[in-house]
Amino acid sequence: MKFLLLLSVAFLAFVHAKEMGTRTYKGYQVFTVKVTNPAQFEVVKSLYDSDEYDFWTTPRKLGATDIMAAPEQIKQLGKIFAENGMQFVVKVKDVGNLILEEQASNKRSSDGRISWTAYPSFAEIRDWLTSIDSPIAEVSTIGYTHENRPIFVVKFSTGGAPKKSILIDANIHAREWIAGATATWIINELVTNPDPYADILAQVDIYIIPMVNADGFEWSRARDRMWRKTRSIRSGSSCIGCDPNRNFAFMFGGEGTSPDPCSNTYTGAGPFSEPETAAIRDFVVARESEGVKFYAYMTFHSYSQLWLLPWGYTQGVYPPDYAEQLSLGQASIAALEAVHGTAYQTGQGADILYGVGGASDDWAKDHGIKYTATIEMRDTEEGYGFILPADQIIPNAEEVWAGLLVVFQRVIETPV
């Protein structure tokens, strides 16, 4: 009981401090703990459900999970692992130092314009998107964030009647910078090097939303590198935002979610309460009313090197076409691995991880989009987690793009 009280006091201090000034994360550590049996998973799951630690990766039923601990939590967390016979290592010795290294690298590599040798600001992304001039690319705004930043979509099409369509989005979670950087790299690849993809674009239209959660992203750049949520205001709560990937209507409030506004997995006040998630829903519905049919929805996240398939809301439940989903996932990660040797795993999301209600990929599948996947990008072993060095942007994007080309071809081959 004393241990739980101390944890609760530490958590409340964390909640009230996180809106004050810039969070440095000095002395914070990330542990990788290995789960080898159901009893150990229940221990990790109870820590996850307590909201007293920042889980960098969702608990895995068997395998490694990454957990960040504040300096005052480190000793007790190690004790919990030891008492339950759980093997663990320190993945990141000092999160604050890693953040400082990232900031210095970004400053050295950035010249105020978007590039893929540094992580860009939202302003740089916006200015670049609105300057795109290509006969196959159309940039438009599908909505605005809580803080009134535009949510852009880039449509790639050779014109004519709507073709089979694919939707890709990125940076639903603020701190997952590699997701948005990969999406912008793909946009740039199609704009500047369209010829290799002429056959694909003759048969499909591709829509890319490179930055869903711009408010949270900018907060993670300026004030709190580990910020995950949106930045909306909750009446009656001092805590800000919700987890937008718990805010979609399908299985809203289910597993892996929290009704607590201070939680990193807070659902929001109701389905699509966030303007960012409502914009995605409204965009899909509006395009469908114009005759567009989406055959695939791919959502970019980090990290874990996973290609997660439906359903993700609970373990052991599969869509009728799961064999097709799995064969596509396997073919995609094989193509991805062939580029730089990066190993991914694919399978039903909740079988690999922990069930998640209100997620965008399950909503898209339930809405009628045939192929859906959450792509959790690098890294798993190099000790960076979310703070992936910018020199990995291009190789990460190249390999993910190879996996997506397999998706495009499968959509082309799918009967109308």
Side-chain angles (χ1 to χ4, degrees):
M1 180 64 71
K2 182 179 179 181
F3 161 61
L4 291 175
L5 179 60
L6 288 172
L7 278 181
S8 296
V9 169
F11 178 64
L12 287 173
F14 160 78
V15 165
H16 290 298
K18 66 185 179 182
E19 290 298 320
M20 298 171 61
T22 300
R23 298 200 64 205
T24 67
Y25 291 95
K26 182 176 176 57
Y28 281 66
Q29 293 187 342
V30 178
F31 293 86
T32 299
V33 60
K34 188 176 182 181
V35 171
T36 59
N37 59 58
Q40 291 178 347
F41 174 71
E42 288 304 316
V43 172
V44 172
K45 180 176 176 293
S46 68
L47 293 173
Y48 180 78
D49 290 340
S50 75
D51 277 323
E52 288 158 354
Y53 296 91
D54 186 347
F55 273 66
W56 279 26
T57 61
T58 306
R60 301 187 71 155
K61 293 182 174 66
L62 292 174
T65 298
D66 292 349
I67 308 170
M68 184 173 71
E72 64 272 15
Q73 296 174 315
I74 289 171
K75 183 177 179 180
Q76 184 61 46
L77 186 59
K79 182 180 178 183
I80 293 170
F81 295 155
E83 288 175 347
N84 290 278
M86 303 165 75
Q87 297 178 3
F88 67 95
V89 296
V90 177
K91 181 185 182 81
V92 180
K93 291 183 180 179
D94 192 319
V95 175
N97 285 343
L98 199 57
I99 292 171
L100 291 175
E101 290 170 9
E102 178 186 59
Q103 290 171 344
S105 174
N106 234 32
K107 187 175 181 179
R108 287 193 303 270
S109 302
S110 177
D111 63 0
R113 297 175 296 177
I114 194 168
S115 74
W116 292 273
T117 58
Y119 288 102
S121 67
F122 176 72
E124 290 166 347
I125 295 171
R126 178 200 62 212
D127 293 347
W128 172 69
L129 287 173
T130 54
S131 71
I132 287 175
D133 183 9
S134 167
I136 63 168
E138 177 187 353
V139 181
S140 60
T141 300
I142 66 169
Y144 292 85
T145 66
H146 174 77
E147 294 176 351
N148 207 37
R149 293 181 174 91
I151 303 170
F152 294 104
V153 66
V154 185
K155 176 185 178 182
F156 289 95
S157 176
T158 55
K163 306 178 188 72
K164 293 178 178 179
S165 294
I166 295 136
L167 176 61
I168 298 166
D169 69 30
N171 257 122
I172 281 181
H173 287 143
R175 62 189 176 185
E176 298 169 10
W177 293 6
I178 188 62
T182 299
T184 55
W185 183 93
I186 290 171
I187 292 169
N188 189 63
E189 174 70 5
L190 286 168
V191 168
T192 61
N193 187 33
D195 291 348
Y197 316 113
D199 288 345
I200 291 171
L201 290 172
Q203 300 175 79
V204 299
D205 293 336
I206 302 169
Y207 297 83
I208 303 176
I209 304 171
M211 179 62 62
V212 174
N213 183 10
D215 295 350
F217 174 72
E218 280 302 297
W219 190 261
S220 76
R221 285 176 50 82
R223 301 288 291 276
D224 184 346
R225 179 61 181 87
M226 291 299 105
W227 188 261
R228 168 185 170 96
K229 301 191 290 181
T230 60
R231 295 293 302 168
S232 52
I233 306 298
R234 291 288 165 262
S235 177
S237 174
S238 62
C239 295
I240 302 296
C242 88
D243 181 342
N245 207 38
R246 304 294 188 275
N247 191 242
F248 287 76
F250 186 72
M251 296 296 169
F252 178 85
E255 295 177 22
T257 72
S258 174
D260 179 1
C262 297
S263 169
N264 256 350
T265 57
Y266 174 50
T267 59
F272 300 112
S273 62
E274 307 306 288
E276 297 87 353
T277 59
I280 295 174
R281 175 202 60 193
D282 294 347
F283 169 75
V284 169
V285 172
R287 296 295 81 73
E288 288 173 338
S289 71
E290 297 168 356
V292 171
K293 181 170 176 57
F294 290 101
Y295 281 74
Y297 168 72
M298 304 284 121
T299 181
F300 290 177
H301 289 256
S302 76
Y303 62 98
S304 286
Q305 294 169 204
L306 298 171
W307 195 286
L308 300 173
L309 308 173
W311 297 108
Y313 69 87
T314 197
Q315 182 182 6
V317 179
Y318 311 93
D321 63 352
Y322 182 69
E324 296 174 73
Q325 305 281 338
L326 183 59
S327 70
L328 177 56
Q330 291 168 337
S332 296
I333 66 171
L336 184 157
E337 185 172 357
V339 179
H340 295 294
T342 307
Y344 271 58
Q345 180 182 359
T346 190
Q348 196 258 33
D351 285 353
I352 295 175
L353 300 174
Y354 181 37
V356 170
S360 67
D361 54 353
D362 274 4
W363 170 81
K365 180 62 175 171
D366 180 65
H367 185 75
I369 300 176
K370 182 170 179 58
Y371 299 111
T372 64
T374 292
I375 303 172
E376 296 278 3
M377 300 176 184
R378 298 184 183 194
D379 82 316
T380 58
E381 297 177 355
E382 294 188 36
Y384 299 116
F386 296 114
I387 311 170
L388 193 68
D391 63 10
Q392 294 197 37
I393 293 173
I394 292 174
N396 180 83
E398 289 171 338
E399 65 197 17
V400 170
W401 182 232
L404 289 175
L405 292 175
V406 175
V407 175
F408 300 163
Q409 188 59 42
R410 179 67 65 90
V411 168
I412 289 168
E413 296 168 358
T414 299
V416 176

